[in-house]
């Protein structure tokens, strides 16, 4: 299913043709290195560079050899003459396979990096567009204090920037080659061959290897993919929460003719976000497998190999799909500022409780006493659905210290926006074109008096 939906570029990276193309590139690069050292005649290299393979013949040989590298080498030999004896000179299978895998992972990382860059651009655009769009900040799922949808988007953009850096570091970890022979001692192939071949392939030589490149590198790559997927799950979960009917502050785009339920025609579900959450579970599981692949017997076994044939391509394909899908979600996301403002005003103004608390402390009241006075009124407003401001104005413990004008001044949404510009400057984001969408004490006061 993942392959069906994944974009063609990533599918090509993990195709059998691309794998064997890289195997052949490694074999030719090693032969060229041997030639530079005088071990292979120059005239033979001209013909070796024209070597090829045939997928059908590889399949035929595999039925006999039960070994994909020897089947591949037999097919390559058929495309050459006597010079075929120089192919795979001094090498073990993992010299070719692991080095080629480094090339595939490098290609995959480059595609994912482009995906992330595109998503960051969309998130930053949304952040700027909704820089001053007031919405309810929630902790534990409960109303806390106002924030803006732009700040939420900026948080996501910065997280994806960190993910881009993580991916760059993981790419560096896996962009290595290994041409060191059967158990990594260079007994049959000198270090100079490894250095020259890796330079031709654009990889760094692994400073030391056994028969394989050590799997902590691949675990770093896959756990990085799991972290990136975790970020997407976090964003998708937030959208799902904000799309709930009772909240309805944002909504996935719903196209003409689309259906959300076979039974209920009214349904408009956050199904793409739910899909992202489901696929994240898959990648997390693959990351665990990559960690278990680190511990192998002695200089190697192949318990990691069967798992890697699934977890590496599937994780890259899944994350590529998830990134492109979430970018599409964000591009078409419906944002409802009116619903956001309505939800901010649901609790009769109790969200200004901290401002009242601080004002009372500023007037000389001890924090514990001030907290109890404010909490008493806040709980009464919440439970009896009464205006918090009206209750404060009727409480002599408060009016003895704060007059009506001072109280009204505390019910000001712009107070929560006063450092938004500072945050955006810190992030290097452009200023929003429109003015603030806050609102001062007038509208807040009217809402807070509604019963």
């Amino acid at each position: 299913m993942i392959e069906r939906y994944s974009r063609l570029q990533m599918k090509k990276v993990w195709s059998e043709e691309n794998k064997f193309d890289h195997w052949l590139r490694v074999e030719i690069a090693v032969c060229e290195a041997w030639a530079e050292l005088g071990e292979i005649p120059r005239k033979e290299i001209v013909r070796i560079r024209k070597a090829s393979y045939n997928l059908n013949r590889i399949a035929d040989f595999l039925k006999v050899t039960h070994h994909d590298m020897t089947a591949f080498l037999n097919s390559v030999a058929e495309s050459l003459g006597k010079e075929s004896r120089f192919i795979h000179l001094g090498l073990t299978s993992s010299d070719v396979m692991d080095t080629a895998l480094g090339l595939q992972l490098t290609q995959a990382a480059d595609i994912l990096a482009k995906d992330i860059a595109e998503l960051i651009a969309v998130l930053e655009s949304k952040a700027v567009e909704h820089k001053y769009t007031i919405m309810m900040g929630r902790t534990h799922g409960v109303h806390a204090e106002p924030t803006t949808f732009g700040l939420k988007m900026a948080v996501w953009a910065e997280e994806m920037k960190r993910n881009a850096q993580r991916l760059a570091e993981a790419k560096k970890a896996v962009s290595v080659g290994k041409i060191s022979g059967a158990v990594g001692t260079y007994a049959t192939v000198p270090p100079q061959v490894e250095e020259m071949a890796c330079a031709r392939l654009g990889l760094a030589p692994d400073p030391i290897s056994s028969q394989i490149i050590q799997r902590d590198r691949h675990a770093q790559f896959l756990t990085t993919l799991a972290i990136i997927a975790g970020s997407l799950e976090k964003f998708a979960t937030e959208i799902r929460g904000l799309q709930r009917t009772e909240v309805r502050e944002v909504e996935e785009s719903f196209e003409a003719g689309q259906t959300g339920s076979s039974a209920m025609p009214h349904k408009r579900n956050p199904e793409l976000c739910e899909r992202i959450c489901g696929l994240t579970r898959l990648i997390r599981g693959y990351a665990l497998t990559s960690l278990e692949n680190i511990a192998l017997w002695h200089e190697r076994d192949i318990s990691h190999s069967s798992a890697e044939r699934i977890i590496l391509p599937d994780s890259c394909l899944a994350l590529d799909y998830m990134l492109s899908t979430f970018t599409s979600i964000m591009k078409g996301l419906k944002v409802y500022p009116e619903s956001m403002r309505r939800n901010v005003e649901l609790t009769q103004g109790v969200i200004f409780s901290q401002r009242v608390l601080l004002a009372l402390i500023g007037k000389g009241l001890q924090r514990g006493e001030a907290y109890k006075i404010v909490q008493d009124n806040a709980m009464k407003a919440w439970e009896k659905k009464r205006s918090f401001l009206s209750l404060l104005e009727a409480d002599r413990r408060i009016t003895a210290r704060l007059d009506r004008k001072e109280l009204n001044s505390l019910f000001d949404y712009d107070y929560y926006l006063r450092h938004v510009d500072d945050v955006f400057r810190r992030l290097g984001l452009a200023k929003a074109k429109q003015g603030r969408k806050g609102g001062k004490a007038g509208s807040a006061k009217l809402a807070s008096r509604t019963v």
Side-chain angles (χ1 to χ4, degrees):
M1 178 178 177
I2 294 171
E3 285 193 18
R4 185 170 74 247
Y5 287 111
S6 180
R7 289 181 294 179
L8 295 177
Q9 195 177 14
M10 186 64 84
K11 289 177 69 176
K12 183 178 179 181
V13 169
W14 296 104
S15 67
E16 286 290 280
E17 292 89 342
N18 193 53
K19 180 183 75 173
F20 289 131
D21 283 348
H22 287 317
W23 284 15
L24 188 58
R25 283 184 64 197
V26 174
E27 294 284 4
I28 292 172
V30 170
C31 287
E32 290 173 335
W34 278 121
E36 283 193 38
L37 296 177
E39 296 297 323
I40 296 178
R42 294 278 183 179
K43 63 179 182 180
E44 306 288 16
I45 288 297
V46 176
R47 290 190 285 270
I48 287 173
R49 285 175 179 151
K50 297 178 181 178
S52 62
Y53 63 85
N54 182 284
L55 286 174
N56 291 329
R57 291 297 289 151
I58 291 174
D60 291 340
F61 286 123
L62 190 58
K63 293 175 184 176
V64 178
T65 65
H66 300 285
H67 192 287
D68 47 4
M69 181 55 67
T70 55
F72 168 76
L73 293 172
N74 287 343
S75 177
V76 172
E78 287 185 337
S79 73
L80 298 170
K82 61 180 182 179
E83 66 276 3
S84 66
R85 70 187 188 278
F86 297 118
I87 297 290
H88 210 66
L89 184 64
L91 305 186
T92 189
S93 298
S94 292
D95 287 326
V96 179
M97 291 177 171
D98 278 6
T99 303
L101 181 58
L103 294 171
Q104 285 179 285
L105 289 171
T106 300
Q107 287 181 314
D110 287 341
I111 294 170
L112 295 174
K114 291 178 182 177
D115 292 342
I116 291 173
E118 184 178 357
L119 176 54
I120 289 171
V122 174
L123 292 173
E124 288 186 335
S125 176
K126 290 289 184 185
V128 171
E129 180 184 355
H130 293 285
K131 184 177 181 180
Y132 303 119
T133 302
I134 284 275
M135 69 177 300
M136 199 62 243
R138 299 170 173 92
T139 58
H140 308 276
V142 178
H143 285 201
E145 289 186 351
T147 183
T148 77
F149 191 62
L151 286 173
K152 189 184 292 287
M153 295 297 96
V155 167
W156 293 4
E158 282 300 299
E159 184 164 340
M160 289 310 300
K161 288 179 183 178
R162 293 193 296 276
N163 283 329
Q165 182 59 40
R166 292 184 182 104
L167 182 62
E169 293 168 358
K171 174 187 171 184
K172 183 178 179 181
V174 295
S175 296
V176 296
K178 174 262 184 203
I179 311 292
S180 58
V183 290
T185 62
Y186 300 97
T188 56
V189 53
Q192 296 96 311
V193 169
E194 181 181 64
E195 292 164 6
M196 289 185 285
C198 285
R200 282 179 164 80
L201 296 168
L203 299 174
D206 195 341
I208 185 169
S209 53
S210 60
Q211 192 172 80
I212 58 167
I213 290 173
Q214 303 307 292
R215 260 42 197 179
D216 63 288
R217 295 180 180 273
H218 305 79
Q220 180 182 351
F221 185 83
L222 264 177
T223 51
T224 296
L225 266 54
I227 291 172
I228 297 170
S231 293
L232 296 179
E233 180 186 28
K234 165 187 166 180
F235 307 157
T237 298
E238 180 71 3
I239 290 173
R240 290 168 60 191
L242 296 178
Q243 188 169 332
R244 289 169 52 231
T245 306
E246 297 84 353
V247 180
R248 202 165 181 263
E249 294 180 356
V250 302
E251 189 176 47
E252 281 186 17
S253 179
F254 197 81
E255 299 177 6
Q258 185 176 344
T259 58
S261 167
S262 63
M264 298 168 284
H266 71 276
K267 294 287 284 179
R268 294 164 63 123
N269 306 321
E271 60 179 16
L272 293 178
C273 285
E274 290 172 340
R275 192 178 302 172
I276 285 170
C277 292
L279 290 174
T280 299
R281 298 167 191 168
L282 184 72
I283 296 179
R284 260 198 301 272
Y286 287 162
L288 176 59
T289 303
S290 75
L291 293 171
E292 293 175 340
N293 280 348
I294 295 173
L296 302 175
W297 284 26
H298 307 301
E299 276 56 60
R300 79 164 290 202
D301 61 53
I302 60 169
S303 60
H304 66 290
S305 177
S306 55
E308 284 181 355
R309 293 169 193 250
I310 298 171
I311 65 175
L312 291 174
D314 270 17
S315 293
C316 292
L317 287 160
L319 188 58
D320 178 43
Y321 169 71
M322 291 164 66
L323 284 164
S324 62
T325 298
F326 192 72
T327 298
S328 179
I329 290 171
M330 292 309 301
K331 285 180 178 178
L333 189 71
K334 296 180 183 298
V335 180
Y336 302 118
E338 298 82 4
S339 295
M340 291 178 176
R341 184 58 175 263
R342 182 194 67 235
N343 290 335
V344 166
E345 297 177 348
L346 276 178
T347 53
Q348 309 295 319
V350 297
I351 59 174
F352 294 99
S353 67
Q354 183 177 196
R355 291 212 66 197
V356 179
L357 170 66
L358 295 176
L360 290 173
I361 292 172
K363 293 289 187 176
L365 206 59
Q366 289 298 314
R367 180 181 179 84
E369 184 181 358
Y371 192 100
K372 186 178 186 310
I373 293 171
V374 175
Q375 187 182 49
D376 287 346
N377 284 282
M379 294 303 101
K380 188 182 296 183
W382 206 332
E383 292 167 5
K384 296 186 177 181
K385 297 183 179 180
R386 294 181 59 185
S387 163
F388 182 51
L389 179 57
S390 296
L391 290 169
L392 296 177
E393 290 174 338
D395 191 328
R396 292 182 180 180
R397 296 173 297 176
I398 293 175
T399 56
R401 292 170 176 83
L402 298 170
D403 61 31
R404 183 181 293 269
K405 183 178 180 181
E406 288 174 314
L407 277 173
N408 271 266
S409 70
L410 300 177
F411 286 69
D412 179 3
Y413 291 120
D414 275 353
Y415 175 83
Y416 301 99
L417 304 181
R418 59 196 181 128
H419 293 302
V420 171
D421 288 338
D422 295 331
V423 174
F424 273 66
R425 276 193 294 270
R426 180 185 293 172
L427 300 178
L429 292 176
K431 291 183 178 180
K433 294 180 180 179
Q434 75 275 25
R436 292 189 178 185
K437 293 184 179 179
K440 296 199 173 183
S443 60
K445 182 177 178 182
L446 285 174
S448 67
R449 289 188 184 277
T450 303
V451 177

